[in-house]
Amino acid sequence: MGKLSTHVLDVTQGKPGVGVKVALFAVRGNEKVLLKNAVTNSDGRCDAPLLQGDELQEGRYELVFGAGDYFAAQGVQLPAPRFVDEVVLAFGIADPAQNYHVPLVVSPWSYSTYRGS
Protein backbone atom coordinates (compact mmCIF):
# COMPACT_ATOMS: atom_id res chain seq x y z
CA MET A 1 0.00 0.00 0.00
CA GLY A 2 1.27 3.44 -0.93
CA LYS A 3 1.82 6.59 1.05
CA LEU A 4 2.24 10.33 0.54
CA SER A 5 5.02 12.18 2.34
CA THR A 6 6.89 15.47 2.11
CA HIS A 7 9.81 17.38 3.54
CA VAL A 8 11.18 20.92 3.32
CA LEU A 9 14.77 21.92 2.62
CA ASP A 10 15.80 25.54 3.28
CA VAL A 11 18.52 26.11 0.66
CA THR A 12 19.47 29.52 2.07
CA GLN A 13 20.82 27.78 5.16
CA GLY A 14 21.43 24.32 3.75
CA LYS A 15 19.30 22.68 6.42
CA PRO A 16 15.84 21.20 6.96
CA GLY A 17 12.95 23.64 7.16
CA VAL A 18 11.82 23.22 10.76
CA GLY A 19 8.35 24.38 11.80
CA VAL A 20 6.92 24.91 8.30
CA LYS A 21 3.13 24.70 8.21
CA VAL A 22 1.82 22.28 5.58
CA ALA A 23 -1.77 21.84 4.42
CA LEU A 24 -2.92 18.99 2.18
CA PHE A 25 -5.99 19.38 -0.02
CA ALA A 26 -7.81 16.97 -2.31
CA VAL A 27 -8.92 18.73 -5.50
CA ARG A 28 -12.28 17.50 -6.75
CA GLY A 29 -13.45 19.49 -9.75
CA ASN A 30 -13.53 23.13 -8.65
CA GLU A 31 -13.63 22.18 -4.96
CA LYS A 32 -10.66 21.85 -2.61
CA VAL A 33 -11.15 19.72 0.49
CA LEU A 34 -8.72 20.11 3.39
CA LEU A 35 -7.47 16.64 4.35
CA LYS A 36 -4.72 17.40 6.83
CA ASN A 37 -2.63 20.11 8.50
CA ALA A 38 0.88 19.36 9.69
CA VAL A 39 4.07 21.12 10.80
CA THR A 40 7.54 19.94 9.84
CA ASN A 41 9.74 18.49 12.57
CA SER A 42 13.46 18.92 13.33
CA ASP A 43 14.33 16.95 10.18
CA GLY A 44 12.04 19.09 7.98
CA ARG A 45 9.60 16.19 7.65
CA CYS A 46 6.12 15.50 8.92
CA ASP A 47 6.02 13.04 11.82
CA ALA A 48 3.81 10.63 9.86
CA PRO A 49 2.82 10.13 6.23
CA LEU A 50 0.22 12.65 5.09
CA LEU A 51 -1.81 9.83 3.58
CA GLN A 52 -1.29 6.09 3.58
CA GLY A 53 -3.08 2.89 2.74
CA ASP A 54 -6.74 3.34 1.85
CA GLU A 55 -6.49 7.12 2.54
CA LEU A 56 -4.31 7.51 -0.56
CA GLN A 57 -6.61 7.65 -3.58
CA GLU A 58 -6.08 8.33 -7.26
CA GLY A 59 -6.70 11.98 -8.01
CA ARG A 60 -5.47 15.54 -7.83
CA TYR A 61 -3.99 17.09 -4.69
CA GLU A 62 -2.36 20.28 -3.48
CA LEU A 63 0.25 20.79 -0.80
CA VAL A 64 0.40 24.34 0.56
CA PHE A 65 3.54 25.32 2.47
CA GLY A 66 3.80 28.42 4.70
CA ALA A 67 7.26 29.32 3.35
CA GLY A 68 6.95 33.08 3.83
CA ASP A 69 6.00 32.72 7.49
CA TYR A 70 8.87 30.26 7.97
CA PHE A 71 11.46 32.67 6.54
CA ALA A 72 10.02 35.59 8.53
CA ALA A 73 10.34 33.50 11.72
CA GLN A 74 13.99 32.84 10.78
CA GLY A 75 14.62 36.60 10.77
CA VAL A 76 15.10 36.82 7.01
CA GLN A 77 14.50 40.35 5.65
CA LEU A 78 11.58 39.94 3.27
CA PRO A 79 9.96 42.49 0.96
CA ALA A 80 6.30 43.42 1.34
CA PRO A 81 4.60 41.69 -0.27
CA ARG A 82 6.77 38.59 -0.04
CA PHE A 83 8.06 37.20 -3.33
CA VAL A 84 7.66 33.58 -2.13
CA ASP A 85 4.91 33.32 0.45
CA GLU A 86 2.56 30.36 0.31
CA VAL A 87 3.96 27.71 -2.01
CA VAL A 88 1.27 25.63 -3.69
CA LEU A 89 2.35 22.34 -5.26
CA ALA A 90 -0.40 20.83 -7.40
CA PHE A 91 0.17 17.19 -8.33
CA GLY A 92 -1.61 13.99 -9.20
CA ILE A 93 -1.65 10.49 -7.76
CA ALA A 94 -2.01 8.00 -10.60
CA ASP A 95 -1.26 4.77 -8.71
CA PRO A 96 -2.15 4.76 -5.00
CA ALA A 97 -0.23 1.52 -4.52
CA GLN A 98 3.02 3.46 -4.97
CA ASN A 99 4.83 5.85 -2.62
CA TYR A 100 4.72 9.54 -3.51
CA HIS A 101 7.24 11.78 -1.81
CA VAL A 102 6.70 15.45 -2.76
CA PRO A 103 9.42 17.62 -1.19
CA LEU A 104 9.86 21.38 -1.27
CA VAL A 105 13.29 22.90 -1.86
CA VAL A 106 12.85 26.59 -1.06
CA SER A 107 14.42 30.00 -0.54
CA PRO A 108 12.75 33.42 -0.22
CA TRP A 109 13.29 33.83 -3.99
CA SER A 110 12.66 30.41 -5.54
CA TYR A 111 11.38 26.88 -5.02
CA SER A 112 11.32 23.52 -6.73
CA THR A 113 9.99 20.03 -6.21
CA TYR A 114 10.32 16.55 -7.62
CA ARG A 115 8.68 13.18 -7.22
CA GLY A 116 10.58 10.95 -4.88
CA SER A 117 9.62 7.65 -3.36
Side-chain angles (χ1 to χ4, degrees):
M1 301 190 119
K3 66 181 178 184
L4 171 64
S5 59
T6 190
H7 77 269
V8 178
L9 177 62
D10 173 349
V11 294
T12 62
Q13 300 184 63
K15 67 176 194 171
V18 178
V20 179
K21 293 179 183 175
V22 180
L24 172 66
F25 294 87
V27 180
R28 299 179 181 136
N30 292 328
E31 181 182 14
K32 294 180 185 179
V33 178
L34 178 64
L35 299 178
K36 189 167 285 186
N37 284 306
V39 177
T40 58
N41 62 23
S42 62
D43 195 32
R45 300 174 185 276
C46 298
D47 289 331
L50 295 170
L51 297 174
Q52 62 184 343
D54 292 339
E55 296 175 319
L56 186 62
Q57 300 290 317
E58 181 180 323
R60 294 175 37 224
Y61 294 86
E62 286 185 0
L63 280 168
V64 180
F65 297 86
D69 289 345
Y70 163 78
F71 286 114
Q74 298 296 307
V76 176
Q77 292 288 93
L78 301 170
R82 298 168 179 164
F83 182 72
V84 171
D85 194 14
E86 285 192 333
V87 175
V88 179
L89 301 180
F91 61 97
I93 301 291
D95 182 357
Q98 294 184 22
N99 291 335
Y100 287 78
H101 184 66
V102 184
L104 176 67
V105 180
V106 66
S107 83
W109 310 107
S110 67
Y111 62 88
S112 65
T113 192
Y114 56 91
R115 180 183 169 195
S117 60

